[in-house]
């Protein structure tokens, strides 16, 4: 069994731009080795926005050296980037953007959502790229809810969506640069769920709603992060209420992490190069 190494409560929210009230559950500064290849997770919302005409979100900004993954539960987000890609994603959809060698992008509430208002709830995850892929060609995967496999869990325990990786004999649609699993689970109150992650993999659970008991010992509530030891395989969950849980697991990269704002590389010289390239316009334009 994978032992629990810590249960962490999200800090108070802060605003990213004027459209995303965010609780930062972890970053590579706090959990770099424990959770590699995952770098950061921000939980935006739930927050109810009034109807209006104001453009809410985050304007043009750069990234290099990793991937950003946006999962929308409620509301709509519109994205544009310097590869010419973009679009609107809504409940159940995922935007998987590879910054790689360098990208500019912006994220706002969709025009329709801004006009009607409503609840926004979403996750943004940063996934590190292996050193050999840090300068990969930037790319964008728009993954619609209908393209994500839904698996019924045993004994009516709920459902599992495979965004990336594999569950039993089913693969998720996201292309990844290193082996990992991103599973979105909806668990039914009073049911038990057991599953395995490979021995040696980093593993974490984020409780987005409800309450679960882990390995028969530790409770975890909404807005809490559970980190497991990399050794061992089995994890046991018992839902004390109808719950929404995000599982992250991946093979550690075991490479240096040097970050500076929107750039995450392997050494300081690469960070300096990223700043020069951005300032000289080599990230393109939107």
């Amino acid at each position: 069994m994978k032992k629990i190494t810590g249960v962490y409560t999200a800090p108070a929210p802060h605003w990213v731009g004027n459209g995303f009230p965010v609780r930062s559950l972890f970053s590579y500064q706090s959990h770099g080795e424990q959770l590699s290849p995952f770098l950061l997770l921000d939980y935006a919302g739930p927050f109810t926005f009034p109807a209006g005409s104001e453009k809410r979100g985050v304007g043009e900004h750069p990234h290099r050296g990793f991937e950003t993954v946006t999962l929308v539960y409620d509301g709509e987000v519109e994205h544009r980037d310097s590869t010419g890609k973009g679009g609107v994603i809504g409940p159940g959809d995922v935007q998987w953007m590879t910054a790689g060698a360098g990208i500019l992008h912006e994220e706002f509430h969709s025009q329709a959502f801004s006009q009607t208002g409503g609840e926004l709830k979403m996750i943004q995850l940063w996934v590190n790229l292996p050193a050999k892929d840090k300068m990969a060609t930037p790319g964008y995967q728009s993954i619609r809810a209908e393209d994500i496999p839904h698996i019924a869990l045993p004994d009516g325990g709920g459902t599992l969506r495979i965004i990336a990786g594999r569950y039993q004999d089913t693969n998720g649609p996201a292309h990844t640069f290193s082996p990992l699993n991103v599973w979105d689970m909806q668990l039914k109150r009073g049911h038990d769920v057991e599953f395995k992650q490979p021995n040696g993999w980093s593993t974490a659970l984020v409780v987005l709603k409800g309450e679960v008991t882990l390995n028969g010992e530790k409770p975890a509530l909404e807005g809490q992060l559970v980190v497991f030891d990399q050794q061992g395989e089995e994890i046991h969950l018992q839902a004390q209420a109808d719950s929404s849980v995000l599982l992250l697991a991946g093979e550690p990269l075991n490479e240096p992490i040097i970050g500076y704002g929107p750039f995450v590389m392997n050494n300081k010289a690469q960070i300096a190069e990223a700043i020069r390239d951005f300032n000289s316009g080599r990230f393109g334009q939107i």
Side-chain angles (χ1 to χ4, degrees):
M1 182 169 286
K2 281 188 179 289
K3 294 181 179 179
I4 297 165
T5 62
V7 178
Y8 305 90
T9 300
H14 64 277
W15 284 90
V16 175
N18 66 349
F20 305 109
V22 162
R23 289 176 282 174
S24 297
L25 273 84
F26 70 83
S27 71
Y28 56 89
Q29 287 95 343
S30 61
H31 291 88
E33 290 186 12
Q34 290 173 292
L35 293 182
S36 175
F38 305 105
L39 293 168
L40 173 150
L41 187 141
D42 283 343
Y43 181 17
F47 188 90
T48 300
F49 287 89
S53 58
E54 181 183 8
K55 192 174 184 181
R56 301 187 183 99
V58 181
E60 181 178 309
H61 58 284
H63 290 300
R64 172 179 279 184
F66 60 99
E67 301 185 286
T68 67
V69 182
T70 304
L71 292 72
V72 175
Y73 291 90
D74 292 298
E76 287 187 340
V77 178
E78 186 168 2
H79 161 92
R80 292 195 307 159
D81 65 43
S82 52
T83 71
K85 299 291 181 66
V88 175
I89 57 172
D93 298 336
V94 176
Q95 166 198 298
W96 197 295
M97 186 187 77
T98 303
I103 201 168
L104 302 177
H105 80 134
E106 61 180 31
E107 298 165 291
F108 288 93
H109 299 181
S110 72
Q111 185 176 5
F113 180 69
S114 294
Q115 291 174 346
T116 62
E119 184 171 86
L120 177 75
K121 180 179 176 180
M122 56 175 271
I123 289 286
Q124 184 162 100
L125 173 70
W126 289 13
V127 181
N128 204 5
L129 288 170
K132 65 182 180 60
D133 298 311
K134 286 286 188 184
M135 299 297 285
T137 301
Y140 176 80
Q141 301 173 70
S142 180
I143 303 171
R144 295 298 177 183
E146 57 267 26
D147 298 323
I148 299 173
H150 283 63
I151 307 295
L153 294 171
D155 302 319
T159 60
L160 183 152
R161 297 197 313 152
I162 312 168
I163 296 166
R166 184 179 182 87
Y167 175 75
Q168 295 180 345
D169 297 325
T170 305
N171 294 316
H175 167 268
T176 67
F177 285 81
S178 64
L180 54 86
N181 289 321
V182 178
W183 297 348
D184 179 30
M185 295 185 283
Q186 308 299 315
L187 307 178
K188 293 293 186 181
R189 177 182 178 181
H191 286 267
D192 292 44
V193 178
E194 293 184 352
F195 53 86
K196 293 182 178 182
Q197 296 301 318
N199 184 56
W201 277 29
S202 305
T203 305
L205 285 171
V206 179
V207 181
L208 304 175
K209 183 183 76 173
E211 178 182 355
V212 297
T213 299
L214 298 141
N215 293 347
E217 55 172 317
K218 288 280 190 179
L221 307 174
E222 186 271 333
Q224 290 191 314
L225 166 76
V226 183
V227 178
F228 294 86
D229 192 275
Q230 292 175 348
Q231 302 307 306
E233 294 185 345
E234 295 180 355
I235 294 174
H236 180 269
L237 297 180
Q238 184 179 57
Q240 306 301 330
D242 288 349
S243 300
S244 176
V245 177
L246 182 69
L247 176 135
L248 309 172
E251 184 176 59
L253 297 181
N254 296 322
E255 296 172 345
I257 299 173
I258 302 294
Y260 181 81
F263 310 132
V264 182
M265 304 300 290
N266 300 116
N267 58 59
K268 291 182 179 180
Q270 292 169 337
I271 293 292
E273 182 182 27
I275 295 170
R276 288 195 301 271
D277 288 349
F278 168 64
N279 289 334
S280 63
R282 293 179 183 172
F283 282 30
Q285 60 184 2
I286 297 179

